[in-house]
């Protein structure tokens, strides 16, 4: 407020201010909702106070009921436009040796100043993004109902500027009604630091709560919040109490962080399931097949190449896109669910590995080793595109460019290497026939259909269980 006033003052007023010297001061107090300063000018002491209009007018005896009604009417009109209002009053002092905080009578009403706190252009988009992510935004402010309601309405947080409750009204409610009001209202006005603390404590009984503040008065709320955030230019005590300091003063940064965290979670889960299921299937198939024949079902160098080419696109999972449905709510690592799905899909992988084994082991060691090599990699590659999301693969968001490129490279290398002189000389591959390659691709297609069906059935039944629980 002081900076805004100084910018608007003319040179004449700025010179006049320099003739005053400050001799005492009481900083703004959230309980009293005002600050006080004693100044000296030309041998005369003056006491100046400013703050919430409803507090200041009570110190001014010259204001009658009609004056107060007019003042309140003007304040409401300004508030409905999202403007914050400060009232100013002053009185003359005979001496500076008095308790200026308790000297709260006999003031002369100077006037009112309204301030426009411009809303960031990104605020509306941030509210929409929060809704898409299932994040509930609540405003806890010391401003009036009119100001808080107008701002919240402008950014699309509430449908009507009237959907606001004061902290005092909230505290006076019975417990049952208070619990409903906590969920109903997104805007709480005239909130003191103690009341912010109380509201956040109530919210934490059922929700994970993050709190964004910047002032000294926000410190208690920052201390109790699950995740406390402040802007870079926040008060020192607020910065000390915070978990995260934002270098950019925007709500959009927080929501982008939440969305990025959920994307990382989803991609990490994909990687764990894909790795467990693939390794589970390959390990058991190769181990058991080795006991059934008198030669190695796949040479050591070939197994290493399988790991290289199949893991090659795995590193691109971190860059993959995530379906919007998976971003609507926060997720938790459920080891049981991940292990069950990985084991079920791993068994499917093992079955199809034995299908490859059954199709080619009677022909020759070279044919089995080469064709099983191709089948192992291709099944892992298509498996990635099935496990990318919980829905039908054609309805999922398009995969990232990096994943597509690396998968294509791995696919082409798998097909081309057995036909090349390098593959035959170094890795002992046997040139596959067109019939065998067609057969392999057909089995891979059936494998993809099976994993897709099992995935859809599993997640459908899992969602039903979650709804019942």
């Amino acid at each position: 407020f002081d900076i805004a006033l100084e910018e608007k003052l003319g040179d004449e007023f700025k010179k006049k201010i320099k003739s005053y010297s400050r001799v005492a001061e009481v900083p703004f107090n959230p309980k009293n909702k005002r600050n006080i300063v004693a100044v000296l000018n030309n041998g005369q002491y003056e006491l100046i106070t400013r703050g919430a209009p409803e507090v200041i007018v009570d110190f001014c005896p010259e204001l009658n009921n009609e004056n107060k009604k007019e003042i309140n009417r003007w304040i409401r009109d300004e508030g409905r436009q999202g403007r914050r209002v400060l009232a100013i009053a002053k009185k003359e002092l005979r001496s500076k040796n008095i308790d200026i905080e308790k000297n709260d009578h006999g003031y002369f009403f100077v006037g009112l100043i309204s301030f426009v706190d411009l809303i960031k252009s990104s605020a509306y988009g941030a509210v929409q993004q929060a809704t898409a992510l299932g994040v509930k935004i609540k405003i806890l402010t010391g401003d009036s109902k009119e100001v808080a309601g107008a701002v919240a309405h402008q950014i699309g947080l509430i449908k009507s500027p009237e959907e606001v409750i004061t902290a005092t009204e909230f505290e006076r409610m019975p417990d049952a009604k208070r619990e409903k009001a906590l969920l109903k209202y997104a805007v709480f006005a005239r909130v003191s630091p103690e009341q912010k603390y109380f509201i956040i404590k109530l919210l934490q009984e059922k929700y994970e709560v993050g709190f964004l503040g910047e002032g000294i008065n926000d410190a208690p709320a920052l201390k109790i919040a699950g995740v406390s955030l402040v802007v870079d230019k926040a008060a020192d005590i607020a910065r000390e109490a915070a978990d995260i300091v934002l270098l950019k003063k925007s709500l959009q940064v927080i929501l982008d962080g939440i969305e990025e965290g959920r994307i990382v979670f989803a991609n990490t889960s994909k990687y764990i399931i894909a790795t467990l299921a693939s390794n589970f299937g390959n390990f058991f198939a190769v181990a058991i097949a080795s006991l059934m024949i008198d030669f190695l079902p796949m040479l050591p160098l070939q197994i290493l190449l399988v790991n290289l080419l199949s893991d090659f696109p795995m590193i691109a999972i971190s860059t993959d896109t995530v379906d919007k449905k998976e971003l609507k709510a926060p997720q938790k690592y459920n080891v049981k669910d991940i292990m069950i799905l990985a084991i079920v899909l791993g068994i499917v992988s093992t079955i199809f590995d034995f299908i490859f084994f059954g199709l080619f082991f009677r022909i020759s060691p070279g044919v089995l080793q080469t064709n099983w090599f191709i089948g192992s990699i291709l099944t892992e590659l298509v498996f990635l595109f099935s496990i990318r999301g919980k829905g039908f693969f054609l309805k999922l968001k398009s995969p990232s460019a990096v994943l597509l490129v690396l998968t294509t490279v791995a696919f082409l290398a798998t097909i081309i290497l057995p036909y090349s002189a390098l593959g035959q000389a170094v890795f002992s591959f046997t040139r596959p026939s067109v019939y065998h390659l067609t057969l392999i691709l057909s089995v891979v297609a059936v494998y993809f259909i099976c994993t897709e069906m099992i995935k859809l059935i599993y997640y459908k039944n899992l969602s039903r269980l979650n709804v019942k629980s």
Side-chain angles (χ1 to χ4, degrees), residues 211-213 227-234 239 242-255 257:
F211 179 75
L212 172 64
V227 179
S228 53
L229 308 100
V230 296
V231 292
D232 188 34
K233 295 182 180 179
R239 288 167 59 93
D243 300 311
I244 299 172
V245 177
L246 303 177
L247 299 181
K248 186 177 180 182
K249 194 175 182 180
S250 173
L251 183 62
Q252 190 83 44
V253 175
I254 301 171
L255 294 166

Side-chain angles (χ1 to χ4, degrees), residues 13-124:
F13 282 101
K14 289 181 180 179
K15 290 179 182 178
K16 190 175 181 180
I17 289 173
K18 292 179 180 179
S19 66
Y20 286 79
S21 58
R22 181 166 43 189
V23 294
E25 182 180 9
V26 176
F28 178 83
N29 187 322
K31 289 184 178 179
N32 299 334
K33 295 184 173 64
R34 65 184 180 122
N35 76 314
I36 313 164
V37 62
V39 297
L40 175 64
N41 180 41
N42 296 326
Q44 176 63 52
Y45 290 102
E46 282 186 3
L47 201 59
I48 303 170
T49 184
R50 64 177 179 173
E54 66 268 23
V55 174
I56 301 300
V57 294
D58 288 339
F59 300 148
C60 305
E62 88 275 7
L63 295 176
N64 56 36
N65 289 334
E66 190 61 35
N67 295 143
K68 291 181 180 179
K69 285 181 181 178
E70 186 179 351
I71 289 169
N72 289 332
R73 192 182 306 115
W74 189 83
I75 292 170
R76 284 195 298 271
D77 290 341
E78 292 297 300
R80 291 189 184 103
Q81 298 177 65
R83 296 173 182 168
R84 304 164 75 180
V85 177
L86 283 182
I88 299 101
K90 70 175 184 177
K91 65 183 293 187
E92 292 185 355
L93 292 177
R94 294 181 180 178
S95 170
K96 68 174 182 178
N97 298 319
I98 61 170
D99 188 340
I100 63 174
E101 190 169 7
K102 293 182 179 179
N103 199 307
D104 55 6
H105 59 277
Y107 276 90
F108 172 75
F109 186 74
V110 176
L112 303 163
I113 307 178
S114 70
F115 296 82
V116 178
D117 198 353
L118 296 176
I119 298 173
K120 287 183 174 291
S121 58
S122 61
Y124 184 75

Side-chain angles (χ1 to χ4, degrees), residues 17 91 168 173 185 262 311 318 417 428 446-447 460:
I17 289 173
K91 65 183 293 187
T168 303
M173 288 180 171
Y185 290 98
R262 292 181 183 178
D311 286 347
S318 61
L417 265 176
S428 304
V446 175
Y447 167 78
K460 186 177 182 180

Side-chain angles (χ1 to χ4, degrees), residues 315-367:
I315 62 176
I317 290 179
S318 61
T319 70
D320 194 22
T321 57
V322 176
D323 197 50
K324 289 183 179 180
K325 291 181 180 179
E326 294 190 48
L327 301 178
K328 283 186 176 180
Q331 305 291 327
K332 291 184 177 180
Y333 283 112
N334 191 319
V335 177
K336 180 182 176 182
D337 290 341
I338 290 175
M339 288 302 296
I340 290 173
L341 182 59
I343 289 172
V344 171
L345 293 175
I347 291 171
V348 174
S349 178
T350 301
I351 291 170
F352 275 85
D353 275 328
F354 276 113
I355 290 175
F356 286 121
F357 176 77
L359 288 172
F360 303 115
F361 85 98
R362 289 189 179 90
I363 301 174
S364 72
V367 170

Side-chain angles (χ1 to χ4, degrees), residues 122-324:
S122 61
Y124 184 75
V127 172
Q128 289 184 314
Q129 186 180 2
T131 302
L133 292 173
V135 176
K136 293 182 179 179
I137 296 176
K138 292 188 182 292
I139 296 177
L140 311 181
T141 177
D143 287 329
S144 67
K145 291 179 72 172
E146 291 80 14
V147 174
V151 172
H153 179 62
Q154 286 178 43
I155 64 175
L157 184 61
I158 55 179
K159 294 180 180 179
S160 167
E162 306 300 321
E163 295 176 12
V164 183
I165 187 172
T166 65
T168 303
E169 291 170 340
F170 179 74
E171 279 189 319
R172 289 173 180 172
M173 288 180 171
D175 290 344
K177 287 187 176 180
R178 188 189 294 157
E179 188 175 342
K180 292 180 180 178
L182 193 65
L183 301 179
K184 177 183 176 182
Y185 290 98
V187 185
F188 295 77
R190 290 299 187 211
V191 184
S192 69
E194 294 83 1
Q195 289 166 333
K196 284 183 184 179
Y197 182 94
F198 175 66
I199 293 171
I200 290 174
K201 193 172 182 181
L202 290 178
L203 285 168
Q204 284 184 316
E205 292 177 2
K206 291 187 177 180
Y207 303 96
E208 292 294 332
V209 180
F211 179 75
L212 172 64
E214 62 179 0
I216 296 172
N217 301 324
D218 292 325
L222 289 166
K223 197 69 177 176
I224 193 178
V227 179
S228 53
L229 308 100
V230 296
V231 292
D232 188 34
K233 295 182 180 179
D236 291 341
I237 190 171
R239 288 167 59 93
E240 288 293 329
D243 300 311
I244 299 172
V245 177
L246 303 177
L247 299 181
K248 186 177 180 182
K249 194 175 182 180
S250 173
L251 183 62
Q252 190 83 44
V253 175
I254 301 171
L255 294 166
D256 287 343
I258 293 172
E259 184 173 355
E260 186 64 27
R262 292 181 183 178
I263 291 172
V264 170
F265 177 91
N267 285 336
T268 303
S269 298
K270 290 180 200 175
Y271 181 84
I272 293 172
I273 294 172
T275 303
L276 286 177
S278 300
N279 290 342
F280 180 90
N282 289 338
F283 172 78
F284 280 101
V286 173
I288 296 172
S290 299
L291 301 175
M292 300 172 64
I293 52 179
D294 58 358
F295 58 89
L296 291 175
M298 203 179 300
L299 298 176
L301 201 57
Q302 293 171 347
I303 293 175
L304 290 175
L305 189 58
V306 167
N307 289 332
L308 175 64
L309 291 178
S310 59
D311 286 347
F312 192 46
M314 281 281 191
I315 62 176
I317 290 179
S318 61
T319 70
D320 194 22
T321 57
V322 176
D323 197 50
K324 289 183 179 180

